[in-house]
Amino acid sequence: MDSANYWAIVPAAGIGSRMGAEIPKQYLQLNGKTILEHTLERLLELPLLEGIVVTINPFDEQWDSLAIAAHPKIIRVDGGQERSDSVLNGLRYLQDKLDKLDWVLVHDAARPCVDLDNIEGLFNELEDHLVGGILGVPVSDTIKRINREYGIETTVDRQVLWQAQTPQMFRYGILLEALERAAKHGSAVTDEASAVEQMGYYPLMVEGRRDNIKITRPEDLPMAELILNSQNNSQTGSDPAGQTP
């Protein structure tokens, strides 16, 4: 591993409207903890990370009630209106802490099931990369392109299609410039990679796992619970019934 510094940014300022819940989705309970706590606890297991910047809505009234908010490696920064604004706020906070070639890992608050081995694999794959890259998985379903009336126009070649996930990790200088430029020009940015792509760079795709799901809709919560339980059982060497193999 190179001598670069590693920091993480977790944008957590959204309201999660598609969940239809009374509170932002990152504060919904999952196996006795909030989704956000699960996510942060997993990232804190990465020894390379020097710190985690969590971007929180300025009017958030729940963050301070979490015990993890007082962790010495976690810094709260105000989030923005859009995800890209929140990440940019986090990058600006790190200006005095990172050089251009240091690494910033951005991870969704609502992806608590990410596998640590996959993140370390991302670190290893990008060690000598000049730009950065992301975790993702190949698209397995047949993909259709439709028109505005929902009529199917064509079947898309899925062999060249991958589903983007997080973490997404980039050299600090490149990601900061990409998001600054996108904000200045009002460019649509759906993830960090899309901002970097708009500058003409080619981020590396690193294969992850399909159980790295993003909790977006109500039906995702029980699925995430099953995944976390399965991962915990695998670590302890027991089956779902609590019996050893």
Side-chain angles (χ1 to χ4, degrees):
M1 195 64 64
D2 61 24
S3 59
N5 296 309
Y6 290 76
W7 275 75
I9 296 176
V10 177
I15 60 174
S17 58
R18 283 176 287 182
M19 285 296 295
E22 295 181 355
I23 59 175
K25 66 181 177 182
Q26 59 267 27
Y27 295 116
L28 294 175
Q29 290 289 310
L30 182 62
N31 284 357
K33 298 178 182 178
T34 65
I35 294 170
L36 182 55
E37 287 175 296
H38 281 287
T39 300
L40 293 176
E41 287 177 358
R42 190 151 292 197
L43 293 179
L44 286 169
E45 294 184 51
L46 295 165
L48 273 178
L49 284 185
E50 294 189 30
I52 302 173
V53 176
V54 185
T55 59
I56 302 292
N57 189 301
F59 302 104
D60 186 300
E61 298 180 349
Q62 301 187 65
W63 167 253
D64 289 335
S65 68
L66 303 182
I68 202 167
H71 194 284
K73 277 193 169 184
I74 293 180
I75 295 99
R76 171 184 174 160
V77 171
D78 283 348
Q81 184 172 354
E82 303 293 338
R83 172 202 167 90
S84 57
D85 300 323
S86 292
V87 175
L88 185 53
N89 285 355
L91 291 170
R92 287 169 174 164
Y93 170 82
L94 293 171
Q95 280 184 313
D96 296 331
K97 299 180 183 297
L98 297 180
D99 293 327
K100 289 184 177 181
L101 292 180
D102 287 332
W103 290 105
V104 175
L105 176 149
V106 183
H107 186 58
D108 294 327
R111 286 190 192 268
C113 304
V114 64
D115 184 78
L116 290 176
D117 287 342
N118 275 181
I119 301 179
E120 290 173 354
L122 184 69
F123 287 164
N124 292 331
E125 290 288 337
L126 296 178
E127 180 178 357
D128 298 319
H129 204 278
L130 295 179
V131 178
I134 74 174
L135 286 182
V137 291
V139 170
S140 57
D141 294 325
T142 298
I143 303 298
K144 305 290 187 179
R145 180 182 291 117
I146 63 172
N147 57 29
R148 293 184 178 180
E149 288 73 40
Y150 293 90
I152 297 174
E153 292 183 339
T154 186
T155 299
V156 181
D157 181 8
R158 67 185 180 195
Q159 293 186 18
V160 296
L161 298 178
W162 284 59
Q163 179 179 334
Q165 299 178 339
T166 68
Q168 304 195 356
M169 193 170 79
F170 293 95
R171 300 286 183 181
Y172 174 75
I174 286 176
L175 185 56
L176 177 62
E177 182 181 356
L179 288 178
E180 292 273 17
R181 184 177 297 186
K184 179 180 179 180
H185 296 290
S187 304
V189 174
T190 55
D191 65 354
E192 291 65 52
S194 62
V196 173
E197 293 158 23
Q198 289 175 11
M199 290 181 62
Y201 292 112
Y202 294 88
L204 185 68
M205 178 67 77
V206 178
E207 186 164 2
R209 290 169 46 133
R210 297 188 185 279
D211 59 5
N212 182 18
I213 66 169
K214 184 178 182 180
I215 299 175
T216 304
R217 300 183 181 276
E219 60 267 26
D220 297 330
L221 266 176
M223 178 64 70
E225 184 174 340
L226 286 172
I227 293 171
L228 287 176
N229 288 339
S230 176
Q231 291 174 344
N232 291 334
N233 289 330
S234 176
Q235 290 173 0
T236 60
S238 61
D239 65 16
Q243 300 174 341
T244 55

